[in-house]
Amino acid sequence: MNEKKTVLITGASSGLGEAFSHLLAAQFQQIILVARDESKLQVLALELRRLYAVDVLCWPHDLTIADDLQRLIANIQQHKIDLFINNAGEGIYGEFHQIPAAQYAHLIELNITALTALNHAVIPQLIANQGMGVINIASLAALQPLPFMAVYAASKSYVLHLSAALAEEYRHSGITIMALCPGFIQTPFIDKAAINPRGFPLANPVTVAAQGWNAFLRHKSVYITGYRNRLLALLMRLSPRRLATRVAFYLMRQRH
Ligand SMILES: NC(=O)c1ccc[n+]([C@@H]2O[C@H](COP(=O)([O-])OP(=O)(O)OC[C@H]3O[C@@H](n4cnc5c(N)ncnc54)[C@H](OP(=O)(O)O)[C@@H]3O)[C@@H](O)[C@H]2O)c1
């Protein structure tokens, strides 16, 4: 790459976002890290500057606060972004009615509203500047209804369908838009979502980031990481929805 290439990653301060930050800091000239906790972003920035010849900017924003999201969008519009990774997201596990409605509203603000607004803000400039594109982090959970994580799974179905539709809409515009669908990953997300993943294989975030990046470079519009997850996805697709949902109910029950 001759000119300065910039990648922006939301939810960069931990888990999959942190793994993407390391992977891409080695390949881009500038990296913009977004999350709420500025001190965590600064610690990561120091590490990235030490390990790679990269210019790092820390942009602390809460994507669920409308004004803050607008400030981020204004900042984006003053920068030339080449790759956008919409990774910030949260999950909630539990019986639907036991979770306060406000927690679901927060999840929807982050996983759906902010992600949509950020795609809307960045796609025109990616096209105008001949950038690379967008990776939206969905989930294996996007592929079917998931009892006890019903709202999370539905939010990730939205991400999957939005991304696949936009990938088609912008197919001839020179950019790639991809939904990345990992299964469970060993990140703080698991504890924050209050889910016990016992019995499910947990992927390494570094591996998931590398697989996702390779798929993006191959211009995939949807990519499921891991052959076991792809097999599971195939079985889900072939099964009647009611049966697949019933099986998911038994697998997901009592995972506190
Ligand atoms: N872990 C899994 O099993 C799994 C599986 C499939 C898909 N995913 C998806 O992968 C993505 C990354 O998750 P992860 O597993 O890496 O989780 P994580 O370790 O909890 O990371 C979430 C990141 O998002 C940031 N974030 C949370 N709320 C935010 C807000 N309101 N505004 C701005 N940033 C916010 C967090 O930083 P701050 O708290 O500092 O804001 C953190 O950097 C998510 O979209 C998740 O749904 C995860």
Side-chain angles (χ1 to χ4, degrees), residues 200-223:
F200 286 121
L202 287 178
N204 182 321
V206 173
T207 309
V208 173
Q211 290 169 338
W213 178 232
N214 286 333
F216 178 81
L217 293 176
R218 286 182 277 128
H219 306 290
K220 298 278 183 193
S221 57
V222 174
Y223 188 72

Side-chain angles (χ1 to χ4, degrees), residues 93-150:
Y93 173 88
E95 218 175 325
F96 178 69
H97 73 277
Q98 305 273 13
I99 308 290
Q103 282 190 35
Y104 287 133
H106 193 270
L107 182 152
I108 290 166
E109 283 294 325
L110 182 60
N111 294 9
I112 295 184
T113 309
L115 179 132
T116 307
L118 291 169
N119 273 277
H120 188 261
V122 83
I123 286 172
Q125 70 142 290
L126 284 170
I127 294 171
N129 297 328
Q130 298 178 315
M132 297 181 80
V134 181
I135 301 179
N136 289 320
I137 309 302
S139 168
L140 193 62
L143 301 176
Q144 73 149 73
L146 198 58
F148 307 108
M149 290 189 85

Side-chain angles (χ1 to χ4, degrees), residues 2-254:
N2 295 326
E3 59 171 313
K4 188 162 164 172
K5 295 277 183 195
T6 299
V7 53
L8 190 152
I9 303 174
T10 68
S13 61
S14 89
L16 185 58
E18 189 177 352
F20 265 116
S21 300
H22 276 275
L23 178 74
L24 299 175
Q27 306 188 38
F28 282 70
Q29 284 74 42
Q30 185 174 62
I31 181 162
I32 304 174
L33 310 173
V34 175
R36 289 168 301 183
D37 187 333
E38 184 171 11
S39 56
K40 274 168 104 180
L41 291 180
Q42 293 293 357
V43 170
L44 176 61
L46 275 178
E47 201 183 345
L48 296 178
R49 288 187 198 109
R50 186 174 59 79
L51 292 172
Y52 317 98
V54 66
D55 175 24
V56 188
L57 302 180
C58 296
W59 289 1
H61 290 281
D62 186 334
L63 306 182
T64 64
I65 297 176
D67 288 350
D68 211 357
L69 180 61
Q70 286 315 313
R71 272 194 290 278
L72 171 59
I73 287 172
N75 284 340
I76 287 171
Q77 277 155 356
Q78 284 166 19
H79 263 75
K80 182 179 165 297
I81 309 289
D82 297 284
L83 174 68
F84 196 100
I85 306 208
N86 256 311
N87 166 76
E90 66 184 12
I92 300 173
Y93 173 88
E95 218 175 325
F96 178 69
H97 73 277
Q98 305 273 13
I99 308 290
Q103 282 190 35
Y104 287 133
H106 193 270
L107 182 152
I108 290 166
E109 283 294 325
L110 182 60
N111 294 9
I112 295 184
T113 309
L115 179 132
T116 307
L118 291 169
N119 273 277
H120 188 261
V122 83
I123 286 172
Q125 70 142 290
L126 284 170
I127 294 171
N129 297 328
Q130 298 178 315
M132 297 181 80
V134 181
I135 301 179
N136 289 320
I137 309 302
S139 168
L140 193 62
L143 301 176
Q144 73 149 73
L146 198 58
F148 307 108
M149 290 189 85
V151 177
Y152 174 72
S155 78
K156 291 300 182 177
S157 294
Y158 175 92
V159 175
L160 171 65
H161 285 96
L162 176 80
S163 308
L166 296 182
E168 197 56 30
E169 233 179 278
Y170 295 104
R171 190 155 55 97
H172 299 297
S173 66
I175 63 169
T176 297
I177 299 177
M178 183 182 92
L180 180 64
C181 299
F184 281 119
I185 318 169
Q186 182 74 63
T187 72
F189 171 94
I190 302 278
D191 285 340
K192 289 188 231 166
I195 182 167
N196 175 358
R198 183 173 34 86
F200 286 121
L202 287 178
N204 182 321
V206 173
T207 309
V208 173
Q211 290 169 338
W213 178 232
N214 286 333
F216 178 81
L217 293 176
R218 286 182 277 128
H219 306 290
K220 298 278 183 193
S221 57
V222 174
Y223 188 72
I224 300 166
T225 55
Y227 71 91
R228 274 205 213 99
N229 292 331
R230 285 194 287 279
L231 182 63
L232 194 62
L234 179 66
L235 289 175
M236 286 177 197
R237 218 174 25 245
L238 296 176
S239 310
R241 179 182 292 154
R242 192 158 179 201
L243 173 65
T245 311
R246 182 73 51 87
V247 171
F249 170 88
Y250 288 112
L251 288 175
M252 294 299 291
R253 196 166 54 161
Q254 289 175 352

